[in-house]
Amino acid sequence: KYSGYLEHMDKPFDSNCFRKIPRLMKLGEDITLWGMELGLLSMRRGELARFLFKPNYAYGTLGCPPLIPPNATVLFEIELLDFLDSAESDKFCALSAEQQDQFPLQKVLKVAATEREFGNYLFRQNRFYNAKVRYKRALLLLHRRAAPLEEQHLVEAAKLLILLNLSFTYLKLDRPTMALRYGEQALIIDQKNAKALFRCGQACLLMTEYQKARDFLVRAQKEEPFNHDINNELKKLASYYRDYVDKEKEMCHRMFAPCGNGSTVGEN
């Protein structure tokens, strides 16, 4: 969060503090004020600081008419809520697949982890479509990279986290079929993973595949018997299934109920 002030002014000439959720801004692209870039690079996560920028670190000899006069010294109050180091990831993802293959596996894992962190950030902002794009980019990097047998577990562990995130994201996007697909891919890696079983159960419930939903949720409950979310989902399933059965009974009753003239509906 930031607010910029001119001398003898109580109100900021520029601020993003009115936003409920500040957007992600990239140094050198969204933030181009030299003093602000240098100031942010000197700060720690969660720090609140004030910077006084001389003209050569701010708007220069020309200023920025009509708000900023020439040769203006400006005060900025900045709070660094969080940051992600994307430079390494951006450079790596801009390379061709052949160039990426020249780097060691640890580099690929680090870039994939950064992409997943970006996805998590976007997910927390309810930007589920953008989060999905980041998760898929991370997954593609891992799918494309062959690892020696002794390091394969590292790749599988990284894939598992991304697959779980993708499954959850597709639930938020109201696409249960895709949520189930990624949940099942996670179960190929870890067949007893409670989160994967839970996501698959949620997806099946949304698809009204009640028996499959029950199978997944009971397996999840077996792994984590006291998990509040899993137990609540099983209660929801039981309620939905009762309603479904009641509606089926009512429909059958209407189909075979006596007609008004005293005859019944049946075969001739």
Side-chain angles (χ1 to χ4, degrees), residues 82-261:
D82 201 357
F83 67 87
L84 292 166
D85 187 358
S86 66
E88 187 177 15
S89 176
D90 290 343
K91 289 177 183 176
F92 186 85
C93 291
L95 299 174
S96 67
E98 293 76 16
Q99 290 172 317
Q100 291 176 1
D101 288 340
Q102 304 302 313
F103 287 87
L105 177 62
Q106 291 300 325
K107 174 80 169 183
V108 179
L109 292 171
K110 184 178 180 182
V111 171
T114 300
E115 290 298 308
R116 183 173 62 83
E117 287 175 10
F118 262 102
N120 292 346
Y121 170 84
L122 294 165
F123 187 96
R124 290 193 297 270
Q125 288 197 326
N126 296 326
R127 294 163 62 185
F128 303 120
Y129 179 85
N130 300 105
K132 176 203 71 173
V133 171
R134 288 288 185 174
Y135 292 143
K136 282 195 167 183
R137 189 154 84 161
L139 191 61
L140 180 61
L141 289 172
L142 297 172
H143 275 321
R144 211 164 54 198
R145 183 57 181 262
L149 189 60
E150 64 273 13
E151 294 184 316
Q152 190 60 39
H153 69 284
L154 298 174
V155 176
E156 295 297 291
K159 282 182 183 178
L160 179 61
L161 294 175
I162 297 166
L163 290 168
L164 290 171
N165 288 352
L166 273 168
S167 183
F168 195 16
T169 302
Y170 273 111
L171 285 173
K172 292 292 188 179
L173 289 168
D174 198 24
R175 295 180 63 185
T177 304
M178 293 298 294
L180 178 60
R181 179 187 299 180
Y182 284 108
E184 289 179 328
Q185 287 183 33
L187 289 173
I188 293 172
I189 297 173
D190 181 3
Q191 62 180 349
K192 293 186 176 183
N193 188 281
K195 278 188 179 180
L197 292 165
F198 179 53
R199 302 289 177 234
C200 290
Q202 287 180 298
C204 289
L205 182 55
L206 289 172
M207 296 159 65
T208 67
E209 295 186 13
Y210 297 124
Q211 187 56 53
K212 284 183 69 175
R214 184 182 183 280
D215 291 343
F216 280 121
L217 292 171
V218 167
R219 287 169 61 191
Q221 188 186 53
K222 183 179 178 182
E223 298 304 321
E224 295 186 7
F226 304 107
N227 186 297
H228 184 72
D229 292 330
I230 295 172
N231 292 329
N232 279 346
E233 201 72 9
L234 277 165
K235 291 176 185 176
K236 186 194 298 184
L237 170 62
S239 174
Y240 284 10
Y241 186 69
R242 279 195 301 271
D243 291 344
Y244 168 76
V245 171
D246 290 343
K247 287 177 182 177
E248 288 287 301
K249 286 180 179 178
E250 184 179 348
M251 187 180 297
C252 290
H253 178 72
R254 287 178 179 176
M255 288 174 64
F256 297 104
C259 294
N261 59 5

